[in-house]
Amino acid sequence: MQKLSRLAGVSARTLRYYDEIGLLKPARINSSGYRIYGRKEVDTLQQILFYREFGIPLDEIKKILDAPDYNKAKALKEHREKLISKRQQLDLLIKNVEKTIAETEGRLTMTDKEKFEGFKKQLIQENEEKYGKEIREKYGEEAVKRSNEKFMNMTKDQYEQFCKLGEELMETLKRAFATGDPAGEEAQKAADLHRRWLTFTWPSYSEEAHAGLAQMYVDDERFTQYYDKDQPGLAKFLRDAVFIYTGKNKQQ
Amino acid sequence: MQKLSRLAGVSARTLRYYDEIGLLKPARINSSGYRIYGRKEVDTLQQILFYREFGIPLDEIKKILDAPDYNKAKALKEHREKLISKRQQLDLLIKNVEKTIAETEGRLTMTDKEKFEGFKKQLIQENEEKYGKEIREKYGEEAVKRSNEKFMNMTKDQYEQFCKLGEELMETLKRAFATGDPAGEEAQKAADLHRRWLTFTWPSYSEEAHAGLAQMYVDDERFTQYYDKDQPGLAKFLRDAVFIYTGKNKQQ
DNA sequence: GTTAAACCTTTACGTTGCGTCAATGTCAAT
DNA sequence: ATTGACATTGACGCAACGTAAAGGTTTAAC
């Protein structure tokens, strides 16, 4: 019965399985086919679980159970050997994986170390200086940390995509600005590119955060300066487009 | 085809399985249903094997294969984490097993330390003094070492059995001696008990060694003394019984 | 007394990565 | 035509259960 299963913390299925493989037979079976377990079976089950915790396969447990004590000790020692050799294999695997990781990173960072790695750090610092405080205040220390982590872990490929996306954004944005319509097709495409650009460095995307950042582009002059340097009004235009894109239609 | 399987060192079954799960589809299938693999597939297989060596499950490899490079590196790192946590679990298991082993041994040696452990050591010394040299000469240093090791590793239960068997042997031997017939039922029973008694401390049993030892009982006075102390002639009688038991019927 | 909830049963498929038959078909060489 | 090497699909097996499915039993509530 399930008293036993709950008592020992194993599933009923497990008991049935142990019965099936002959590891733990019930004391008797009543008229309606129910398995009835007695005190002795409880003890046996405890022993089974005891050995199972060590990861000893069930068929070996079966042997151990009806073996004298000295064989039990021997079995434990043998099992220890198996575990140890397993760990050695694991160690080897880990070593190899780490070597491979190191190599891949070596390829990525060594290829054009100054250009890529230098740029990266610089950009992070800029990122930190520019938006860090704001984002920190708005979304907490954790978010910034995760964002920087994500950026630090970017590979060269990702970084190149990121840059390309930034350029594309700028081009699209300028074309959209020429139309003058922040709800227009081009402007919305720019807003979408901006979202994709963001998700490269942001750990998670939300419309609120996106809209909030867009507003910051207008409020923070360092931002405004960056977007307006060629086309005055570009920051405001991007904000409007993003507001529409995110559904935050200016009512904030 | 099997060119590929041999080339890459995997079985044909493996290739079929990889096809089945969609991990590596052949380039095409010819008119009679044969799988044809091309250059590209060879490369892919190499990659698969590369990741497989790290113990990465096949469905993850599948994901990794059609993912960009930066995700491959990420996957490796994630896998490393898994391996490390696996190793931690293993370490825990090993620690527990070792603790248990230590406890069991503690119980065995502490229970009646002087009585059992003292006896054991004394017996080993006696054993060494008495037969050590002879056995060493006859069967080599290794055999003695293994024998002593086996004895040292005996548990209390085993030791008790060993003693009981020794007593039973003596009783049976004396009864057999009274019949005067070394080929008789009682004498052969004694010889068999002697064999069982030996296998407690001998790493392996052979009829030659058994017969050799029985002869030693007669040749070495320390042995003779032990067996003859109650019944003069007992050592000789045991030797004769063992010779018959082992089939070495005196012709040596 | 009926009915539902809780518990039991057997049967059987799914999991992972192939190994290992079995039964049968195809290709190249003798 | 035959033989041997190689191919195919299909199926079971492995460890230790989880997870239904389909149905019988017990117990408690109404």
Side-chain angles (χ1 to χ4, degrees), chain B residues 14-213:
Chain B
T14 302
L15 292 180
R16 248 170 268 135
Y17 181 63
Y18 289 173
D19 183 9
E20 191 183 325
I21 64 172
L23 184 57
L24 178 65
K25 296 270 181 204
R28 63 191 185 81
I29 294 182
N30 79 2
S31 57
S32 31
Y34 284 30
R35 291 171 179 78
I36 312 291
Y37 294 93
R39 199 162 292 280
K40 214 183 83 198
E41 283 73 27
V42 177
D43 290 348
T44 311
L45 181 56
Q46 297 290 4
Q47 285 224 50
I48 292 173
L49 298 181
F50 172 74
Y51 289 111
R52 196 182 64 165
E53 275 185 27
F54 300 137
I56 299 180
L58 295 185
D59 59 343
E60 288 210 23
I61 293 181
K62 188 154 60 168
K63 285 185 220 153
I64 292 175
L65 282 184
D66 42 36
D69 275 356
Y70 54 90
N71 274 349
K72 292 182 187 180
K74 212 180 70 186
L76 275 182
K77 283 182 188 169
E78 282 173 10
H79 186 62
R80 181 184 52 182
E81 296 309 311
K82 278 183 203 159
L83 288 180
I84 288 175
S85 76
K86 246 190 196 173
R87 190 179 53 182
Q88 280 177 350
Q89 283 183 31
L90 255 185
D91 281 340
L92 195 70
L93 275 186
I94 292 174
K95 228 178 65 189
N96 283 338
V97 171
E98 274 173 352
K99 220 173 72 188
T100 307
I101 290 176
E103 271 176 21
T104 342
E105 290 198 330
R107 260 206 305 278
L108 286 172
T109 55
M110 297 302 280
T111 320
D112 31 13
K113 195 166 176 163
E114 319 81 27
K115 214 167 73 178
F116 175 47
E117 198 70 11
F119 266 47
K120 247 170 76 168
K121 281 189 184 147
Q122 193 188 330
L123 244 163
I124 288 183
Q125 282 202 345
E126 281 176 15
N127 206 44
E128 266 289 56
E129 278 175 30
K130 278 187 191 161
Y131 337 126
K133 236 167 58 187
E134 298 279 343
I135 304 181
R136 231 187 277 279
E137 281 167 15
K138 282 203 175 172
Y139 307 109
E141 186 73 33
E142 263 308 294
V144 178
K145 232 176 81 188
R146 277 207 304 277
S147 166
N148 282 348
E149 254 174 37
K150 198 175 174 188
F151 197 50
M152 270 310 276
N153 285 330
M154 262 167 63
T155 65
K156 205 182 110 230
D157 278 356
Q158 279 178 295
Y159 177 69
E160 277 165 9
Q161 280 189 47
F162 175 64
C163 290
K164 213 186 288 174
L165 207 60
E167 285 164 23
E168 205 185 336
L169 164 62
M170 265 309 198
E171 284 166 24
T172 312
L173 188 58
K174 282 175 187 168
R175 273 201 308 278
F177 187 62
T179 71
D181 178 18
E185 198 180 337
E186 278 296 308
Q188 287 308 299
K189 192 177 159 195
D192 187 56
L193 283 169
H194 186 240
R195 175 191 58 77
R196 282 166 57 195
W197 184 73
L198 279 180
T199 53
F200 265 93
T201 53
W202 277 19
S204 69
Y205 175 78
S206 77
E207 293 185 339
E208 290 74 25
H210 191 181
L213 189 67

Side-chain angles (χ1 to χ4, degrees), chain A residues 202-245:
Chain A
W202 278 18
S204 68
Y205 176 79
S206 77
E207 292 186 340
E208 290 73 25
H210 191 182
L213 188 69
Q215 181 60 44
M216 247 173 55
Y217 285 5
V218 176
D219 296 336
D220 190 314
E221 63 161 14
R222 286 162 308 181
F223 260 102
T224 319
Q225 214 173 345
Y226 174 71
Y227 280 95
D228 281 6
K229 67 179 185 288
D230 289 343
Q231 309 261 332
L234 205 58
K236 263 201 180 70
F237 184 79
L238 177 56
R239 180 202 56 183
D240 294 342
V242 168
F243 272 18
I244 292 164
Y245 180 79

Side-chain angles (χ1 to χ4, degrees), chain A residues 2 16 33-35:
Chain A
Q2 298 316 71
R16 250 170 265 133
Y34 285 27
R35 291 172 179 77

Side-chain angles (χ1 to χ4, degrees), chain A residues 17-166:
Chain A
Y17 181 63
Y18 288 173
D19 183 9
E20 191 183 326
I21 63 173
L23 184 56
L24 178 65
K25 296 269 181 205
R28 62 191 186 81
I29 293 183
N30 79 3
S31 57
S32 31
Y34 285 27
R35 291 172 179 77
I36 312 290
Y37 293 93
R39 200 162 291 280
K40 214 183 82 196
E41 284 73 27
V42 178
D43 290 349
T44 311
L45 180 57
Q46 298 292 4
Q47 284 223 51
I48 293 172
L49 298 181
F50 172 74
Y51 288 110
R52 197 182 64 166
E53 276 185 28
F54 300 139
I56 299 179
L58 296 185
D59 59 343
E60 288 209 24
I61 293 182
K62 189 153 57 168
K63 285 184 220 153
I64 293 176
L65 282 183
D66 41 36
D69 276 355
Y70 54 89
N71 274 350
K72 292 182 186 178
K74 211 181 71 187
L76 276 182
K77 282 182 188 170
E78 282 174 11
H79 186 62
R80 180 184 51 183
E81 294 311 309
K82 279 184 202 158
L83 289 179
I84 286 175
S85 77
K86 245 191 196 172
R87 188 179 53 183
Q88 280 177 350
Q89 283 183 31
L90 255 185
D91 281 341
L92 195 70
L93 275 186
I94 292 174
K95 227 177 67 188
N96 283 339
V97 171
E98 274 174 351
K99 220 173 71 187
T100 308
I101 290 175
E103 270 175 23
T104 343
E105 289 198 331
R107 262 206 303 278
L108 287 172
T109 55
M110 296 303 279
T111 321
D112 33 13
K113 193 165 177 163
E114 319 79 24
K115 213 166 76 179
F116 175 48
E117 198 70 11
F119 266 49
K120 245 169 77 169
K121 281 189 183 146
Q122 192 187 332
L123 244 163
I124 286 182
Q125 282 204 342
E126 281 176 16
N127 204 43
E128 265 291 54
E129 279 176 28
K130 277 187 191 162
Y131 336 125
K133 237 169 55 191
E134 297 280 343
I135 303 180
R136 231 187 276 281
E137 282 167 14
K138 282 204 173 171
Y139 307 109
E141 185 73 35
E142 263 308 294
V144 177
K145 233 175 80 187
R146 277 206 305 276
S147 164
N148 283 349
E149 254 174 38
K150 197 174 174 189
F151 197 50
M152 270 309 277
N153 286 330
M154 263 167 62
T155 64
K156 204 183 112 227
D157 279 353
Q158 279 177 295
Y159 177 69
E160 277 165 9
Q161 281 189 47
F162 175 65
C163 290
K164 215 187 284 174
L165 207 60

